[in-house]
Amino acid sequence: MEASRQIGGSQVDHYGGAPEIVIITGMSGAGRSTAAKSLEDLDWFVADNLPPAMLVMMLDLARRASAVPQVAAVVDVRSRAFSTDLKSALAELEAIGAHPFVVFLEASDETLVRRFDNVRRPHPLQENGRVIDGIAAERDQLYGIREQADLVLDTSALNLHELRARMRDVFGNGQETAVRVTIVSFGYKYGLPVDADMVVDCRFLPNPHWVPELAPLTGQDAAVRGYVLGQPGAAEFLRAYVEALEIALSGYDKSGKHFVTLAVGCTGGKHRSVAISEEIAARLAENWPEVQVSHRDLGRE
């Protein structure tokens, strides 16, 4: 028999009446404290810098306090045994039917280095090396945890307010929802979005950049949109890909996956990927109302 879980609401039916528990972890400097504060603002009980071994104890205490229906813990790297300790704690929670929901916060090396430089603090794992050495060591430790996470949030391009908004979107709604789809347009020359579940390459379509009257416009302009969607193969591609997406999203929904990020790329993230992202979102919206579109690299050129 499986316990049911509704992320973002208080109506959670766990084994033994256990309260909902969220574990926030990920890279140092990626925004764990901001994510925790967001949950506190939503009336969650949040424990910061909690050793993994104490997760089960915290949950037991919350079970006894009927006024604490939702609990969260921020868990970070404190020792070389961190990854093993957290995996063991997650296994213990699953064994007692708690079904923890793991949020992993990610950011690019460049972003993390800049953030540590701004606050003039050393990375907790850099020892006698550089900040980038500590980041590399932490990524190595967290690799297995990241793979197990229910939700990966890349905060490289997010400010504090945007990260809080994302947390509110995920955990602030008590209504039961289907899979939430985020479609991110991007430029390959700026790198792949690290939190993408699926990636679409639009570079097979002619580039409006080489059309003088279209070059200064973006994929949000009607002229560019008409040009991109009117190219040979565009309609067939969209029809086939959206059909495949519908199948994949239905599978995710049945398996309990709550969040899916689709990355749509072209060379610079200005024309083709923007137009295709908007069109995919429009076609998905009928069956998947929780669709959001974000243009990561628009305006970057």
Side-chain angles (χ1 to χ4, degrees), residues 61-120:
L61 292 173
R63 278 177 167 172
R64 301 178 189 182
S66 57
V68 185
Q70 294 175 307
V71 295
V74 181
V75 183
D76 62 7
V77 175
R78 294 288 171 174
S79 70
R80 291 293 176 182
F82 164 81
S83 181
T84 301
D85 291 346
L86 182 52
K87 287 181 180 179
S88 297
L90 292 176
E92 286 187 60
L93 289 168
E94 287 286 353
I96 63 173
H99 306 294
F101 187 91
V102 180
V103 177
F104 189 99
L105 297 179
E106 170 70 279
S108 68
D109 287 357
E110 178 185 0
T111 299
L112 294 175
V113 169
R114 184 175 65 252
R115 289 174 182 174
F116 275 102
D117 285 345
N118 287 341
V119 297
R120 298 185 179 181

Side-chain angles (χ1 to χ4, degrees), residues 35-194:
K37 178 60 178 174
S38 301
L39 290 184
E40 287 183 344
D41 292 343
L42 294 170
D43 295 325
W44 286 60
F45 174 80
V46 182
D48 201 358
N49 296 331
L50 192 73
M54 295 186 65
L55 286 170
V56 175
M57 182 184 300
M58 183 189 76
L59 182 60
D60 183 57
L61 292 173
R63 278 177 167 172
R64 301 178 189 182
S66 57
V68 185
Q70 294 175 307
V71 295
V74 181
V75 183
D76 62 7
V77 175
R78 294 288 171 174
S79 70
R80 291 293 176 182
F82 164 81
S83 181
T84 301
D85 291 346
L86 182 52
K87 287 181 180 179
S88 297
L90 292 176
E92 286 187 60
L93 289 168
E94 287 286 353
I96 63 173
H99 306 294
F101 187 91
V102 180
V103 177
F104 189 99
L105 297 179
E106 170 70 279
S108 68
D109 287 357
E110 178 185 0
T111 299
L112 294 175
V113 169
R114 184 175 65 252
R115 289 174 182 174
F116 275 102
D117 285 345
N118 287 341
V119 297
R120 298 185 179 181
R121 294 178 57 187
H123 188 281
L125 295 184
Q126 76 179 72
E127 298 179 346
N128 295 325
R130 300 176 300 159
V131 168
I132 193 65
D133 298 322
I135 293 171
E138 188 172 36
R139 284 199 192 282
D140 184 59
Q141 282 198 44
L142 292 174
Y143 177 78
I145 300 300
R146 186 185 188 281
E147 294 298 303
Q148 290 182 245
D150 296 283
L151 174 63
V152 177
L153 283 178
D154 180 9
T155 68
S156 300
L158 302 180
N159 60 35
L160 296 180
H161 301 293
E162 290 169 333
L163 175 54
R164 287 190 177 190
R166 290 293 300 274
M167 293 296 291
R168 286 196 301 271
D169 288 343
V170 175
F171 297 104
N173 187 351
Q175 301 294 325
E176 184 176 358
T177 60
V179 175
R180 297 186 181 186
V181 183
T182 299
I183 303 176
V184 181
S185 71
F186 72 97
Y188 274 95
K189 69 180 182 180
Y190 301 117
L192 288 167
V194 297

